[in-house]
């Protein structure tokens, strides 16, 4: 990924770090799940983008419906890549396949809603959107953390589990 697309690599690191922050804030005890495997899922949530041409990935104008269709395959492609590298643990599969599902059911690929979305994927989705907003895009400036959280709260709140989102905001209030 580092050689394929450096901005996706940067994004992956940031999402991994924010996701670990939110996970450790929310759960003292992970039960049967393995934090190490979850971390792999967080850091590699967008590995499927390596199968998309960088012309589409870095396009600075609106994507065509066909291009969107290709973008929306990256969760499935990511699982395939991990599987072929013997790295598709249960934790990684959940995160990679569900990280674009939205709480209101309007995400992809399956349109899962509410608690049908796994807690790990809810965490990754919030970190993913936050890093997207706070990163530079060819078509807009990057937002500050405060502006990004405000946009998420005012314009995108239906996309997130409210409890998870308020815990995420609390991460930024810590000294
Ligand atoms: Fe993604
Ligand atoms: Fe992402």
């Amino acid at each position: 990924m580092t050689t394929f697309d450096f901005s996706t690599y940067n994004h992956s690191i940031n999402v991994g770090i924010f996701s670990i922050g939110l996970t450790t804030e929310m759960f003292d005890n992970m039960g049967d799940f393995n934090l190490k495997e979850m971390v792999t899922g967080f850091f590699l949530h967008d590995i499927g983008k390596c199968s998309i041409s960088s012309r589409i990935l870095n396009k600075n104008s609106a994507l065509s419906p066909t291009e969107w269709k290709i973008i929306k395959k990256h969760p499935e492609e990511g699982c395939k890549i991990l599987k072929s590298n013997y790295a598709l643990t249960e934790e990684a599969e959940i995160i990679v396949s569900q990280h674009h599902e939205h709480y209101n059911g309007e995400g992809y690929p399956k349109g899962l809603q509410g608690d049908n979305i796994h807690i790990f994927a809810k965490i990754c989705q919030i970190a993913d959107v936050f890093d997207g907003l706070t990163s530079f895009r060819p078509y807009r400036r990057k937002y500050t953390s405060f502006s990004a959280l405000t946009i998420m709260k005012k314009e995108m709140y239906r996309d997130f589990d409210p409890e998870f989102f308020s815990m995420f905001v609390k991460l930024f209030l810590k000294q």
Side-chain angles (χ1 to χ4, degrees), residues 8 11-12 15 45-46 49 74 99-100 124 128-129 131:
T8 305
H11 165 74
S12 303
V15 170
H45 73 282
D46 271 341
K49 285 192 174 169
H74 78 273
H99 75 276
H100 283 288
C124 191
D128 189 48
V129 171
D131 185 64

Side-chain angles (χ1 to χ4, degrees), residues 21-22 25-26 149 162-175:
L22 184 53
E25 182 69 19
M26 292 196 75
L149 292 173
E163 186 196 349
F164 285 58
F165 180 66
S166 57
M167 291 302 281
F168 187 70
V169 173
K170 278 186 194 154
L171 285 180
F172 294 83
L173 303 174
K174 292 202 156 189
Q175 296 286 321

Side-chain angles (χ1 to χ4, degrees), residues 64-96:
S64 70
T66 315
E67 288 167 338
W68 259 117
K69 236 179 177 177
I70 294 170
I71 292 273
K72 286 182 173 179
K73 284 201 159 202
H74 78 273
E76 187 190 330
E77 289 298 319
C79 288
K80 280 188 199 162
I81 292 171
L82 291 182
K83 197 171 182 189
S84 64
N85 285 283
Y86 308 101
L88 191 65
T89 59
E90 188 185 354
E91 291 85 347
E93 183 168 17
I94 290 165
I95 294 165
V96 175

